[in-house]
Amino acid sequence: MTRLLLLLTLLGVWSCQEPQQKNKPVSISGEIVNPTDPFVILYKGEQPIDSARLDEQNRFELRIDSLESGLYNFFHRPEFQYIYIEQGDSMQIRLNTVAFDESLVFSGSGEVVNNFLIDFFLESEGEENLIREALVPMEPEAFSAKLDSLKVRNISQLEELNSEFPITEGAYHTAQASILYKDYYYREKYPFWHRKMIADADGVHELPKDFYAYRSEVSYDDLSLTFLKPYHDFMVFHIGNLAYTSCKKACVIDKEEVRDQLHFNQHQLKLIDSLVTGDELRDNLFRTVAFDYLLKYDSEENLEVFMTDFLSRSENNRHFHEIEALSEAIRNLSPDQQLPELMVENSDGNLQSLQELAGTGPVVFYFWSGPQQHHLANITRRVRSLNEEYRDYRFVGICLRTEKARWKSMLASYSLDSENQYWAEDFENFAHTLVVYHPYKSIVAKDGKIVDGFANLNTSF
């Protein structure tokens, strides 16, 4: 929190708003260093609220006469981050797309809660690995005690911040929910992480009776949190955990692993239908279950059963067309199908089709993007190892969601073989057509045809 507290010391004067501010329009302006798109767009949920074009100095301004206080998404293709806005706020934003989240800083009215949220987001990203390595091996009582201490520390920091720079009740509720639901998420994950960490042949340890006591505090209908990442992430795993526990009793779990994917995912649909009331959250959770099931590629017969059940519970799901398109894309990636007609560009600016690249010998296509540099480092190490083991294979990297100039500079900085690296301009088309939803997704092809459309660089070789 050091970065946040230093900023607030300098800019705290903005945090106290007079009541008449609430009658003023909302103004959000700022500067984007190294822009990757001409526009910034403000979303409420999935609906665009306003947009602005960057000027010659890469500055922008959004001005909105009236809006509902709450969470919004600030989008600069291909990155986004949520932002809490209240009527009358006048905020300035500065960021550098080379490190979008890490460089994002807010100043002006509304800065307190937004800098807290972004700092908490960044801390949580590094925190999860620490918790898995240091706390997950512990027994349940010790694990819970450590998480309690972490939660108390985070809540105390928020209360101290609110005492010095008061924020509204809605803003406090959002910040507090970020802390609580991240804590709940770790507790839901613990039994499964713990089992894998200690390689216990007997499966998940018996948990204390009060281990899940926090579940009595869970809200399934808090509309203000629908698009808050800690809340959504918790809900996804919580629903899966409830289904797992129930299905284990129904004997579809073999050695702690789900064997009957149709039954398990139908049970998740049933739980969402019975527990969640908010339309947007319901639609989003139904979508997550549908994607999870479809990407495991069950039989055609089971797929039809699942989709019938899905439609009976979520007939007007706003994501239905996306789900339907995914189903069709999965069918098109079946073995012996021709590779889709997609074009990529090499470092010399020449275009080639995927079919041309897979014209002779086995080829493995894998995917990476500039903003995810940690993932790029990991996947590069993995590919170099696979190259040594599978000398008959050609491993071809395709860069997505990255400006062309930045892609070329990264080839050099990461010592990537330019002969086996290509750039794709249309991220959405590639992601949807090739079903790139997993960071280690790969496609094995030969003679222009698919051998395995759902290979995984870590587990398939």
Side-chain angles (χ1 to χ4, degrees):
M1 291 295 172
T2 303
R3 183 173 77 99
L4 175 60
L5 294 175
L6 285 172
L7 179 68
L8 293 177
T9 301
L10 294 172
L11 301 172
V13 67
W14 288 93
S15 63
C16 297
Q17 298 184 50
E18 296 296 329
Q20 58 265 33
Q21 287 282 90
K22 298 305 178 182
N23 297 320
K24 293 184 177 180
V26 170
S27 174
I28 301 173
S29 59
E31 178 186 4
I32 296 182
V33 181
N34 298 312
T36 53
D37 191 75
F39 291 92
V40 296
I41 306 173
L42 186 69
Y43 282 86
K44 177 64 173 175
E46 294 157 4
Q47 298 299 317
I49 301 299
D50 198 5
S51 65
R53 177 183 284 274
L54 300 181
D55 64 18
E56 293 180 356
Q57 285 74 45
N58 297 330
R59 300 190 63 84
F60 68 91
E61 182 176 11
L62 297 165
R63 189 175 179 85
I64 307 152
D65 291 333
S66 179
L67 53 65
E68 176 187 357
S69 295
L71 276 179
Y72 291 77
N73 275 323
F74 176 84
F75 179 66
H76 179 69
R77 189 181 300 273
E79 300 286 343
F80 71 91
Q81 185 56 260
Y82 45 66
I83 172 175
Y84 191 90
I85 307 175
E86 296 181 318
Q87 187 66 42
D89 277 347
S90 179
M91 253 186 296
Q92 293 79 50
I93 297 175
R94 192 179 190 278
L95 64 90
N96 187 329
T97 62
V98 173
F100 190 97
D101 296 323
E102 292 80 0
S103 66
L104 181 57
V105 174
F106 299 89
S107 60
S109 56
E111 63 169 297
V112 177
V113 66
N114 282 297
N115 282 311
F116 180 90
L117 288 173
I118 188 62
D119 271 47
F120 184 77
F121 172 83
L122 293 171
E123 282 197 356
S124 296
E125 283 193 317
E127 180 183 78
E128 183 164 323
N129 287 334
L130 178 63
I131 285 175
R132 293 186 67 166
E133 293 172 6
L135 304 189
V136 167
M138 297 178 176
E139 290 304 300
E141 293 85 352
F143 175 81
S144 292
K146 289 291 186 181
L147 273 195
D148 285 341
S149 297
L150 179 61
K151 179 175 64 177
V152 168
R153 186 201 72 180
N154 289 333
I155 292 293
S156 295
Q157 287 179 337
L158 175 60
E159 290 177 346
E160 181 180 348
L161 198 63
N162 187 40
S163 175
E164 188 170 0
F165 305 104
I167 59 178
T168 64
E169 183 178 346
Y172 186 91
H173 175 66
T174 300
Q176 183 187 52
S178 295
I179 297 169
L180 294 178
Y181 282 99
K182 193 66 180 181
D183 173 83
Y184 299 164
Y185 168 81
Y186 291 141
R187 295 174 196 268
E188 292 284 336
K189 296 280 278 188
Y190 166 77
F192 305 94
W193 281 343
H194 183 69
R195 174 176 61 86
K196 184 178 293 186
M197 179 75 71
I198 64 174
D200 185 358
D202 296 326
V204 178
H205 282 189
E206 184 174 346
L207 300 171
K209 291 183 179 179
D210 63 347
F211 186 82
Y212 291 118
Y214 63 88
R215 286 180 174 176
S216 64
E217 305 297 323
V218 171
S219 171
Y220 296 96
D221 58 359
D222 192 333
L223 302 183
S224 70
L225 303 179
T226 297
F227 293 94
L228 183 68
K229 190 176 188 299
Y231 180 72
H232 180 267
D233 289 351
F234 163 78
M235 282 295 175
V236 168
F237 200 82
H238 176 57
I239 295 294
N241 202 351
L242 293 176
Y244 177 92
T245 303
S246 176
C247 288
K248 188 175 182 180
K249 296 176 182 178
C251 301
V252 299
I253 308 293
D254 180 21
K255 295 181 180 179
E256 306 299 333
E257 292 185 5
V258 175
R259 298 298 182 187
D260 189 340
Q261 286 293 332
L262 175 61
H263 180 276
F264 174 72
N265 285 286
Q266 281 185 294
H267 199 84
Q268 290 196 88
L269 296 179
K270 182 179 179 181
L271 285 168
I272 296 167
D273 197 21
S274 62
L275 293 175
V276 182
T277 56
D279 288 342
E280 287 185 308
L281 181 59
R282 279 173 61 89
D283 282 359
N284 292 343
L285 292 175
F286 277 130
R287 174 193 180 275
T288 298
V289 172
F291 267 55
D292 184 65
Y293 175 71
L294 292 172
L295 290 172
K296 288 183 171 62
Y297 196 66
D298 205 349
S299 67
E300 282 286 331
E301 180 182 358
N302 283 350
L303 189 148
E304 292 301 323
V305 172
F306 175 84
M307 289 306 297
T308 299
D309 193 0
F310 174 88
L311 289 172
S312 71
R313 301 180 187 278
S314 189
E315 181 179 7
N316 298 314
N317 192 296
R318 70 195 71 208
H319 306 295
F320 177 72
H321 293 300
E322 183 186 11
I323 294 167
E324 194 173 41
L326 173 63
S327 178
E328 182 63 24
I330 288 171
R331 292 187 181 95
N332 292 336
L333 291 178
S334 301
D336 294 326
Q337 293 284 335
Q338 290 285 338
L339 276 165
E341 288 288 347
L342 294 172
M343 304 298 291
V344 290
E345 185 175 321
N346 66 15
S347 58
D348 294 325
N350 299 319
L351 292 174
Q352 286 184 273
S353 70
L354 297 187
Q355 289 190 10
E356 289 175 316
L357 292 174
T360 57
V363 173
V364 179
F365 296 102
Y366 64 95
F367 309 90
W368 59 274
S369 67
Q372 298 174 312
Q373 296 188 43
H374 182 68
H375 170 255
L376 174 58
N378 289 338
I379 206 169
T380 298
R381 283 194 296 270
R382 179 60 178 160
V383 168
R384 285 173 180 161
S385 174
L386 291 173
N387 265 318
E388 292 295 318
E389 188 174 354
Y390 295 88
R391 294 184 177 275
D392 293 337
Y393 284 66
R394 181 187 180 193
F395 289 84
V396 174
I398 299 177
C399 180
L400 306 172
R401 296 176 62 213
T402 308
E403 190 179 28
K404 188 191 300 186
R406 185 179 177 191
W407 165 67
K408 288 185 177 181
S409 70
M410 294 185 77
L411 294 182
S413 59
Y414 281 84
S415 301
L416 299 176
D417 180 5
S418 60
E419 290 187 5
N420 291 315
Q421 292 294 329
Y422 293 82
W423 176 76
E425 183 174 13
D426 190 344
F427 159 69
E428 292 185 0
N429 188 26
F430 261 77
H432 294 160
T433 304
L434 301 180
V435 194
V436 185
Y437 291 100
H438 190 282
Y440 291 95
K441 160 70 183 273
S442 60
I443 296 174
V444 183
K446 185 178 180 180
D447 300 328
K449 292 185 177 182
I450 294 169
V451 176
D452 185 351
F454 295 92
N456 183 301
L457 280 180
N458 283 335
T459 61
S460 300
F461 298 91

